[in-house]
Amino acid sequence: MHGRRTQKAAVSWTLMYCQAIRNTGQIEQRRGLSELYKRMTKPQPEDAKDKDVAKDKAAVKDKEAVKDMPQLSISSIPKPKIRVPRIDPNTMARAQAPKELPKDPKLLADEYIADLHSANWGGEETWVRFSRLPQKSHAFLRDIDINCTLANIRGTERALSRRGRSTPTSNTLSRMLEVFEAAKLANIVPDRYTYQELIAINVDLLNFNYAHDWLEKMVVQGIKPTIRPYRTILKGYSTVSSELDSARRLWHEIKTKIAAGLIAGEKSDEVATTVDLLTYTSYVAAESKAGNFALVVGVLEEMDQAGIKPDITLRNTVLDGLVRHKGLDAGLQEAELMEQSGYELNGYSYTTLLNATIKEQRDEEIHKLLEAAAAKNIVPPAYLMQKLTIDPFDVLSIMAKLEASHKVRLYNVLIESAMRGNDFTQVLQLIDHLKQNNVPANVVTYTLLFDALNKAGRLDQAKSMFTKVFSSGELTPDAHIYSIMIDACGRHGDVKTMFWFKNEMQRQGLAVSEPVYNSILSALSQWRNGNLQAVMVTASEMERVKPTVKPTCRTFSAIFAAFATQAQRRRLGLGELEFLQTWYAMATDKYYVAKDSYYYFMAVNAFVCAQSLPDAMTAFSDMVRSHKVSHVSGRFMKNPVRMLDLIKLAIEHQEYGAALEIWNNWQRLRLPPISKAVELALFACDQMGQPTVAINIIRGLLSMDEDVYCPQFVDESVLALYIAMMTKHSMLDAIMPVVHLWTTAMTAECGSEPVLSESTVAKTVAMLRGNSHPGAAAIANELLTHVDAHFPDATPV
C-alpha cells in the first residue's frame, strides 16, 4: 500500500531539497542560495581533505566540500575566520608601515590627566579612555584623577554639563568598581571623595545597604567622613516611602555622631558641631512625604533653637507635603504663613498650589493664584498651563498685571502649551492676539511659531513667515530658528532649501551645531534620489569646522541609514565602503560614542546591504557584547528579516561558522521564530560536516526541558530538510526520534490543526526510498506508519 501511495509522488533528491527551501527566497548574488542547497545534496568526495575549504568563490566547484571536521556542540563552534576585503595599494602601504613604538606609561598617564581635567568628557568616553590605559600607567595617576574619573563615569553635574547626563545603571556601578580596583592595585589610596562617589552611585541605584558598607569602609580606613555622605544616603531614603524608618535611624545616627565629634566639618578639618541646612531639608522631605507633620514642626523648632533659619526650598518641601496629604486649603494656609514669616513665594510655590487647584477643580482659586503670580511677574510653566480648563485668552486677561517685559513670556508659554496639545490653530490665534495688543514678539516667540508650523507640516507657510518676519531687519534669527527651518526642510524632502538655510546660517556667523548636522544627515538618509557624496561631505565638514563638532550616536545612525539606502539601489564603491568602515571605527576609537540600540541596528543593516560580511560580523559581535543587547533585540524583533539577511550573506560568502554564530545569538536576542533561519543553520551545519550540531539544534528547539525550546521554528519544511540531511550523512537512526519529538511538540502547540502536508510526506518518502542506504527504505516505511497514526490527512495517496 505504501508503494502505491508514493508512486505518483516520486521525485528526485535534489527536487525535494529545492521544495524544502523554496520559501527562503533567492539571494541575488554570484551564487544563489538554491544553488548552494543543490551542492548540499551531492555526496562528498572521498578524497576531500580536512582543511580543504575554498576561499575563492569563483574557484569553488561542486567536487569540493567540507568533511571530517571534528564534531562540536552548537555552543562551542569557533568564531570563523572571515576574509579581509581587498585593499588598495595606499592602504597596503600604510598597513606595512612600521608600527609605532608603545608610548612610555608615564607619558600616557600625563596625557590622560591633562585631557581629563580640561575636556568635557562624558561617562562613556571617560570609561573607554581609562580602560585603554596600560596597567603600568595607573601608578602615575593621583587620587584626584581617580576621583574625577569616577565623577565623570557617574555623571555628576560638576563633571558633566546637564545636557550630557545620563541615568546611572548597574553597568555604571560596575565600571566605577573596576576603576576603584585598578587604583587599589596601583597603590593609590582612596580619600573621602573617592568613597563619596561610590556611596552616591549606590544611592542612585537605591542600593542603600552597599552605600552603608562603603561608608563603613571609609571609617575603617581612618577617614573621618563629613556630613555629606550621610546626607546623600538620607536624601535617597527621602525618595522612597518604604525607607522612612531607615531615614529616622540615620537621622538619629547623624545627630549622635555629631555630638560625639565623629563627623568632620564640610570645608575644614574641624569637627562638625551641628546639622546643616541641607541635611535638615533632606530629613524634612522624608517626613513630609509620609505626612508626619507633627514631627516636621518639631524639626523646625529644633532648627530655630540651633539658630538655623529654613530657606524657601525647605518651606516649599513642607508645602508640597501638605498639599499632597491634606489638600489645597492646608496648602493655602501654609502659603499664607510663609508670607507672614517673611518668605516670598516663588515659581515652585505657585506651581504646587496651582497643581492642587486643578486637581480639585477650584476655578475661583485658580483665578486668585494666577493674579497673585502675575503681581510678582511669575509665569507658570507650559505643562501646567496645558492642564488649565480656562481659555488661554482668559488667562491673558487674568494675568494682565504682568509688567510689559514679562507679557511676551506669558504669550510664549501659552503658545508652547497649545503646541503640546497639537492645537496649531490656537498657536496662530495667539500670535494674532499678541500683535493686536502691541506686545513685541521676541526670537523665542517666532522659534515656537516655526516649530509649530514644522510639526503641523506647513513648510511653505513657515518659509513665507521666515521671509516676512526677518526681511525687515528688526529681528535677527538665531541658531535655534535656523535649526528648526533646516529640520523642517529636511523632513519634507526639500534638500535644496535645507542647504540654503545652512549656508545662510554660516554666512550670519552662527556655528552649525551637532543637532543641525544630524538633521541634515537624517534628511539625506531618506533622500532616495540623492547620492552619498553629500553625506560624506557633510560628515567630513563636522571634523573640519572650528571648533570641531563632535558627532553623536544619532550622527552615526543617520550615516549608516544613508549608506544602507543607497547600497540597496547599487553596489557601493571602494571609497564609499572605506568611508563607512572608517566612521564605524571612529565611533569607538575617536569619539567614544555611547551607542544605543538604533546605532547597532543601522550599522549591521548598512554593512549587510553593502555586502561586506567582515564589517557586518564586526558590528554584529559588538552588538552582542553591548550591555544594551535587550534594547537592540527590540529593533530586530520589529524587522527580523535584517538578521536573516545577515545569515544569508554569511552563507553566500561560504562562512558557515559565521552563519552558526549568528544563529546561536538569534534566541539570545529574543527574535521571533522564523523557520528560514533554522533552514539556513542546518545548511551551514551540512557544509561544515557537522550533522551532530544540526541534531542538537533541532532537539533543542523541540525539547521542552531545553532553554532554547521553541517549536515554532521547526515547520514541516525544516523537518523535511533535517531528514534529508540525516539521510545524506548516513545518520538514519537520528530521524525517527526527532520525528516523534516534533509530533509531540507541534501537537502541544497547534492542537488539532494540521501541521503536515501530503506533498511534503510524499517527497520525503520518495527521497528515502531512492537512497542507496540499506536502512533508508525501512525508515520510509516507519515514517509512513507514524504519519498514518498521527496525521492521517497527510498520508500520500
Side-chain angles (χ1 to χ4, degrees), residues 55 96 125 174 223 256 266 337 367 374 382 394 429 433 454 553 659 676 714 751 762:
K55 291 302 180 182
Q96 295 177 348
E125 181 170 356
S174 299
I223 300 174
T256 300
E266 191 77 52
L337 182 60
H367 282 245
D394 292 337
Q429 290 173 349
H433 191 277
N454 176 17
C553 186
K676 299 180 184 64
V714 188

Side-chain angles (χ1 to χ4, degrees), residues 584-686:
Y584 181 82
M586 286 197 306
T588 300
D589 298 336
K590 184 175 181 180
Y591 295 113
Y592 308 96
V593 172
K595 307 170 185 68
D596 61 10
S597 60
Y598 189 67
Y599 169 93
Y600 286 114
F601 179 82
M602 295 311 302
V604 171
N605 186 36
F607 287 122
V608 168
C609 292
Q611 298 293 304
S612 178
L613 178 63
D615 299 305
M617 288 303 298
T618 297
F620 174 77
S621 299
D622 292 343
M623 178 189 74
V624 171
R625 288 193 299 267
S626 170
H627 66 279
K628 293 181 172 54
V629 69
S630 59
H631 301 290
V632 174
S633 62
R635 295 284 181 182
F636 282 99
M637 283 184 68
K638 295 177 181 177
N639 198 353
V641 176
R642 297 304 181 197
M643 189 69 77
L644 194 64
D645 289 341
L646 181 56
I647 299 181
K648 291 179 181 178
L649 182 63
I651 287 180
E652 281 196 334
H653 284 68
Q654 300 177 28
E655 297 292 355
Y656 307 114
L660 287 180
E661 179 186 352
I662 301 164
W663 163 254
N664 288 340
N665 287 283
W666 188 284
Q667 288 183 302
R668 180 186 173 188
L669 295 173
R670 297 197 296 275
L671 299 183
I674 298 180
S675 60
K676 299 180 184 64
V678 188
E679 293 173 2
L680 294 172
L682 293 181
F683 176 72
C685 291
D686 175 82

Side-chain angles (χ1 to χ4, degrees), residues 255-314:
K255 294 198 291 184
T256 300
K257 289 192 174 184
I258 287 178
L262 298 178
I263 295 181
E266 191 77 52
K267 297 182 180 179
S268 67
D269 295 331
E270 297 178 357
V271 175
T273 58
T274 184
V275 180
D276 65 341
L277 177 59
L278 293 176
T279 308
Y280 272 116
T281 303
S282 298
Y283 181 60
V284 167
E287 295 291 357
S288 296
K289 187 172 184 178
N292 300 319
F293 298 107
L295 288 175
V296 171
V297 172
V299 173
L300 293 176
E301 292 175 351
E302 181 182 321
M303 293 178 66
D304 185 57
Q305 293 174 3
I308 300 175
K309 182 179 180 181
D311 61 1
I312 188 63
T313 301
L314 189 149

Side-chain angles (χ1 to χ4, degrees), residues 692-726:
T692 305
V693 176
I695 295 173
N696 291 338
I697 290 176
I698 297 299
R699 283 186 174 274
L701 293 172
L702 297 177
S703 300
M704 294 184 181
D705 56 345
E706 295 288 339
D707 293 337
V708 294
Y709 174 73
C710 191
Q712 299 94 328
F713 273 105
V714 188
D715 61 10
E716 61 175 357
S717 176
V718 173
L719 182 64
L721 188 62
Y722 170 81
I723 293 173
M725 181 178 176
M726 293 300 105

Side-chain angles (χ1 to χ4, degrees), residues 23 28 181 275 282 304 438 494 534 545 603 727:
N23 291 333
E28 300 176 354
E181 290 300 324
V275 180
S282 298
D304 185 57
N438 298 318
D494 190 351
V545 296
T727 305

Side-chain angles (χ1 to χ4, degrees), residues 344-358:
E344 184 174 346
L345 301 184
N346 59 14
Y348 185 88
S349 310
Y350 283 105
T351 298
T352 301
L353 294 170
L354 281 168
N355 261 320
T357 57
I358 293 170

